[in-house]
Amino acid sequence: MDGRWTRRGFLLAAAAAAAGCGAREQPPAAAPQAPLPSSQPPVDSTSVSNLIWRSSIGDVKMIVMRPREVAGPLPVCLALHGEGTDANQFVEIGLPPLLTATVRAGTRPFAVVAVDGGTASWLGAPQKMLAEELPDWLSRAELAATPFSVLGISSGAVGAFEYARTPGLALLTALSPAVFTSWRDAERFGGYTDEAQWERSEPLRHLTAVSGLPFAVWCGTDDPLLPAARELAQRTKANPATFGAGDHTTLYWKKILPEVLRFIGDSLGKKTP
């Protein structure tokens, strides 16, 4: 890891580039979202549902994103947001219309479900919530109770790695994963309460926990987390392992999202005639 990088420098750079890991303290009304590019269809209200559940960690928002014009129960890809943001991160990067486009292009239909819970970290109590309470919420939303896939951005990717030990999961996908080769680097970034928690949870130190599970990694070549992400991809034999132009920013995640959703959809197979 480049010794010139500090957490303060990282956060300032991320904020300047409209990163998804922006401070949650700002109320949504004070931070209007940029409009989607004109090439993308607008989000249809019938494809996005916002649900609030009372849970062991407080009220949890669950955003269900379905492909338009697809009714009935669907398999689920669970989506875990980055540090300092919430489930809306996946709406903000344009996932709902891209999900519809992915299914219309021929993959079997699936839903993407984003939940709050990892504002500071997806470790500990949020993981217990996902394991013990999420299945019932998914069933009540008329979706598969056990996700077939989990997708995480930044520190959400660490939460996805932790969640990937769940029986029945078939795919793990990490975007700009916040993984570290040393406690010194992890401490600069934040997200861990202490070195002991990092030792217990750092994906690079617990690769056997998900051995045999298909794994995919995307990370920008200008991302300060790139070296560790490359090591993670190499040691897990991630396929695909995609490292293209981009930083740890919303702009990068928007750019790669169509490819990511195609990969997830293709893992389910093609639609039957």
Side-chain angles (χ1 to χ4, degrees), residues 34-187:
L36 292 172
S38 58
S39 60
Q40 294 182 353
V43 175
D44 189 297
S45 61
T46 60
S47 68
V48 180
S49 300
N50 289 272
L51 305 172
I52 303 294
W53 299 103
R54 182 64 55 85
S55 82
S56 57
I57 63 171
D59 289 347
V60 171
K61 177 172 59 185
M62 183 173 87
I63 301 179
V64 178
M65 293 162 276
R66 301 174 58 103
R68 289 179 58 192
E69 302 160 4
V70 178
L74 290 174
V76 170
C77 173
L78 175 63
L80 304 184
H81 59 78
E83 178 185 0
T85 182
D86 60 21
N88 280 316
Q89 182 177 33
F90 293 93
V91 177
E92 292 166 358
I93 64 175
L95 192 150
L98 291 175
L99 177 60
T100 294
T102 299
V103 171
R104 286 178 175 173
T107 69
R108 287 176 55 196
F110 65 100
V112 176
V113 175
V115 294
D116 291 344
T119 303
S121 168
W122 277 105
L123 304 175
Q127 284 292 325
K128 184 177 181 181
M129 176 268 290
L130 294 176
E132 297 180 0
E133 299 174 86
L134 178 66
D136 180 58
W137 302 343
L138 293 176
S139 294
R140 294 189 186 194
E142 299 183 343
L143 297 167
T146 301
F148 76 94
S149 174
V150 60
L151 160 70
I153 295 177
S154 189
S155 59
V158 178
F161 190 95
E162 191 84 6
Y163 182 79
R165 307 178 194 201
T166 301
L169 202 71
L171 184 66
L172 169 60
T173 304
L175 310 187
S176 310
V179 293
F180 305 96
T181 57
S182 71
W183 165 239
R184 180 182 178 185
D185 289 338
E187 188 177 26

Side-chain angles (χ1 to χ4, degrees), residues 1-2 5-7 10 83 123 154-158 176-192 194 197-199 201-207 223-232 235 248:
M1 186 69 67
D2 189 338
W5 172 54
T6 65
R7 174 170 169 79
F10 173 82
E83 178 185 0
L123 304 175
S154 189
S155 59
V158 178
S176 310
V179 293
F180 305 96
T181 57
S182 71
W183 165 239
R184 180 182 178 185
D185 289 338
E187 188 177 26
R188 289 174 180 172
F189 182 82
Y192 292 99
D194 52 35
Q197 187 189 52
W198 173 74
E199 290 276 1
S201 306
E202 170 57 52
L204 284 169
R205 291 176 172 258
H206 299 280
L207 297 178
D223 192 323
L225 303 180
L226 176 65
R230 283 191 183 277
E231 181 174 336
L232 178 68
R235 292 176 58 191
H248 203 89

